[in-house]
Amino acid sequence: MTIALAANETALLDSVPKGLFIGGEWIDAEGGRTFDVRDPATNAVIASIADASADDGIRALDAAVAAQDGWAATPARTRSEILRRGFDLVQDHKEDLALLMTLEMGKPLAEARGEVVYGGEFLRWFSEEAVRISGRYGTNPEGTGRMVVSQRPVGPSFFITPWNFPFAMATRKIAPALAAGCTVVIKPPALTPLTTMFFTKLLERAGLPAGVVNVVQTSSSSKLSAPIIADPRLRKLSFTGSTEVGRALISQAAEGVLRVSMELGGNAPFVVFDDADLDKAVEGAMAAKFRNIGQACTAANRFIVHSSVASDFADRVTERVKAMKIGRGTEDGVAIGPLIDADAVDKAVELVKDAVDRGANIRTGGSAIDDEGTFFEPTVITDVAKGSDILREEIFGPVLAIATFETEEEAVRLANDTEYGLVSYVFTQDLARGHRMIDALETGMMGLNVGVVSNAAAPFGGVKQSGVGREGGFEGIHEYLSTKYTLIPND
């Protein structure tokens, strides 16, 4: 049964700009090209928007380059105040942003509201950091001169953002760049571009000068991105997405020796020791696995549970999962919305089938839902055998897969047995063991007795093939600054 858009949904969608944002103006794409955006809960078209060409992308870079010197010379306090006004406008439109994310991405409205809070904090945090960019001054060791170390904006930056957190991933990149004095070209995802476009309209209202942020959504990412990355005027590339695509982008960026920030794939271990507080572990599991319908790079992917508590843990999470309501994210009480598209559903089906073929047991769920949208049942599987695809690949869906271990050493070995290293989760009441896990687990982030770690004030990023660079925290702004050293001789 087709779900008609409510009046408030139609009004909101009508308020979103439909063009490209280049040089401070909303304009049509070259040749008037457009593409459709769909609601994954119904597969219905909710907007038709401008489809940027490669030439449109270069025009956006032209605008960013033209604005760069002026923006870099803009007083830090002015940049700070624009970001703060952007934050205030986000608060004024938090319900609009949340509903827009739910319509184009599918996440439950309550979670979308949480993303607005999280994403907005990057604007507030980096509005405060903009005025704290500093250097140092001192005498060199030989006593022959003074050393001045200063920070300068890297320059025009190109951002490629993912579909799963369409607001927070935009603010997490745009805010530090603007704070540092860099201009931006951003390519939002074709599946969920509307949130970035609406947010950019708010930045306009906040007083952002023309050309400082440019938005070029497209149905052909590689055709638009390659010429921008190859342009010698570009100085920075930031991408959030799969490791496979990240590798290709790093290779392209190497030609111009671009600064890169890459937040790539994850395969997060969720380790539950025999002394864990199981109430906390279950709460952490529900947050780490099912937030955003499991479609997060930080989602717990491999539940590694001590054999002595595995059965009890599985019983508890299964009871919770069975009670989760499935539906369109706008419906009251919905905990599991649709996956982003049919490919995501097919992947979940294949991973569960492979695990079952190798001896795993389905405790609940395990199947796609035959509906107009792209839904997959929230699932718990146990007794997952070593070598199963679900232990090696990022699931990106609501499937909780449990394997067991016997010793601390085995838990560490299993947790680290992956090419990825974004985040890990550990549940233990032994403080000394917790500290050992901080040192032993090969990840850029760790949650100790907690299932969500992201915070605008913390450095977000991974090791190994989960990426390079950090977003958020004090470290985040330095991704957009270059260090300059000057020697002033005494005579």
Side-chain angles (χ1 to χ4, degrees):
M1 179 178 174
T2 301
I3 300 175
L5 289 173
N8 65 317
E9 296 171 359
T10 300
L12 174 59
L13 291 166
D14 287 344
S15 74
V16 178
K18 303 303 187 292
L20 311 175
F21 189 63
I22 298 177
E25 296 182 353
W26 293 98
I27 62 173
D28 291 338
E30 182 181 49
R33 300 182 351 169
T34 63
F35 69 96
D36 293 336
V37 180
R38 294 178 180 273
D39 177 352
T42 65
N43 201 37
V45 174
I46 55 174
S48 293
I49 60 175
D51 187 357
S53 67
D55 287 342
D56 289 324
I58 294 301
R59 278 190 282 274
L61 181 59
D62 291 342
V65 170
Q68 177 58 53
D69 289 347
W71 184 242
T74 298
R77 177 62 68 194
T78 301
R79 300 198 301 266
S80 170
E81 289 171 347
I82 289 172
L83 285 169
R84 180 60 196 224
R85 286 197 294 272
F87 169 80
D88 292 338
L89 285 167
V90 164
Q91 308 317 303
D92 292 342
H93 291 273
K94 58 187 177 182
E95 287 300 314
D96 292 331
L97 285 161
L99 178 56
L100 195 54
M101 278 189 280
T102 295
L103 292 176
E104 66 173 345
M105 186 267 160
K107 69 182 69 185
L109 194 53
E111 291 194 20
R113 291 187 179 111
E115 182 175 340
V116 176
V117 172
Y118 172 54
E121 282 302 309
F122 288 101
L123 299 169
R124 178 156 62 175
W125 174 264
F126 285 109
S127 75
E128 296 162 347
E129 288 301 291
V131 297
R132 292 179 174 83
I133 299 170
S134 62
R136 58 189 173 93
Y137 172 87
T139 303
N140 65 7
E142 297 77 17
T144 59
R146 268 65 171 178
M147 301 184 298
V148 178
V149 179
S150 56
Q151 303 290 331
R152 296 289 186 273
V154 168
S157 303
F158 181 42
F159 299 154
I160 303 173
T161 54
W163 52 262
N164 55 340
F165 290 95
F167 179 64
M169 297 303 96
T171 59
R172 200 162 78 182
K173 296 181 189 300
I174 290 174
L178 299 190
C182 297
T183 58
V184 168
V185 176
I186 183 168
K187 188 205 76 61
L191 292 168
T192 59
L194 304 180
T195 302
T196 299
M197 297 162 73
F198 187 90
F199 168 57
T200 303
K201 188 172 75 168
L202 298 183
L203 288 179
E204 266 193 288
R205 289 176 53 191
L208 193 70
V212 174
V213 171
N214 305 274
V215 183
V216 281
Q217 65 278 358
T218 181
S219 62
S220 181
S221 180
S222 60
K223 288 182 180 179
L224 179 133
S225 298
I228 296 176
I229 296 170
D231 194 299
R233 300 173 297 172
L234 186 70
R235 298 312 316 141
K236 167 81 181 187
L237 170 64
S238 180
F239 168 75
T240 298
S242 72
T243 295
E244 180 183 10
V245 174
R247 288 193 199 104
L249 292 172
I250 290 171
S251 179
Q252 294 175 42
E255 186 68 25
V257 196
L258 295 180
R259 286 274 292 272
V260 297
S261 298
M262 295 279 154
E263 196 266 280
L264 306 178
N267 189 2
F270 188 104
V271 183
V272 181
F273 284 97
D274 53 348
D275 67 335
D277 181 327
L278 285 189
D279 289 335
K280 287 184 178 180
V282 170
E283 288 299 324
M286 298 303 292
K289 176 71 267 182
F290 296 104
R291 184 172 68 104
N292 215 49
I293 325 166
Q295 298 173 121
C297 56
T298 55
N301 213 58
R302 297 168 293 142
F303 286 77
I304 303 168
V305 184
H306 193 274
S307 60
S308 66
V309 296
S311 179
D312 192 4
F313 177 80
D315 288 343
R316 295 191 192 197
V317 294
T318 299
E319 182 181 4
R320 292 283 297 274
V321 170
K322 284 182 176 180
M324 299 180 90
K325 181 179 177 180
I326 306 167
R328 191 171 188 251
T330 53
E331 299 171 17
D332 290 341
V334 164
I336 297 293
L339 296 187
I340 191 62
D341 58 20
D343 288 343
V345 175
D346 291 344
K347 181 178 181 181
V349 169
E350 291 169 4
L351 290 175
V352 170
K353 181 180 184 303
D354 174 79
V356 171
D357 288 347
R358 296 172 187 264
N361 296 306
I362 297 177
R363 297 289 297 270
T364 188
S367 299
I369 298 174
D370 186 13
D371 200 351
E372 290 176 323
T374 47
F375 292 89
F376 189 87
E377 295 175 319
T379 299
V380 177
I381 57 176
T382 59
D383 305 311
V384 178
K386 295 178 178 63
S388 297
D389 291 345
I390 206 165
L391 298 180
R392 297 197 304 266
E393 298 183 25
E394 194 170 19
I395 300 169
F396 246 62
V399 181
L400 192 158
I402 300 174
T404 61
F405 72 93
E406 300 296 335
T407 67
E408 182 177 313
E409 292 73 19
E410 183 185 9
V412 170
R413 179 177 56 78
L414 291 173
N416 288 339
D417 186 21
T418 175
E419 63 187 358
Y420 301 104
L422 185 60
V423 63
S424 54
Y425 305 93
V426 174
F427 283 76
T428 178
Q429 297 186 82
D430 185 331
L431 182 60
R433 174 182 278 155
H435 280 286
R436 291 196 297 273
M437 293 302 102
I438 293 173
D439 293 333
L441 297 188
E442 298 168 348
T443 56
M445 302 175 286
M446 188 176 113
L448 183 58
N449 295 319
V450 68
V452 177
V453 300
S454 300
N455 189 287
F460 187 103
V463 298
K464 300 196 285 189
Q465 295 200 36
S466 284
V468 292
R470 293 294 183 268
E471 295 182 314
F474 301 113
E475 296 82 357
I477 199 168
H478 290 283
E479 297 287 335
Y480 298 93
L481 295 168
S482 61
T483 301
K484 185 171 187 176
Y485 152 64
T486 302
L487 176 64
I488 306 173
N490 288 337
D491 50 28

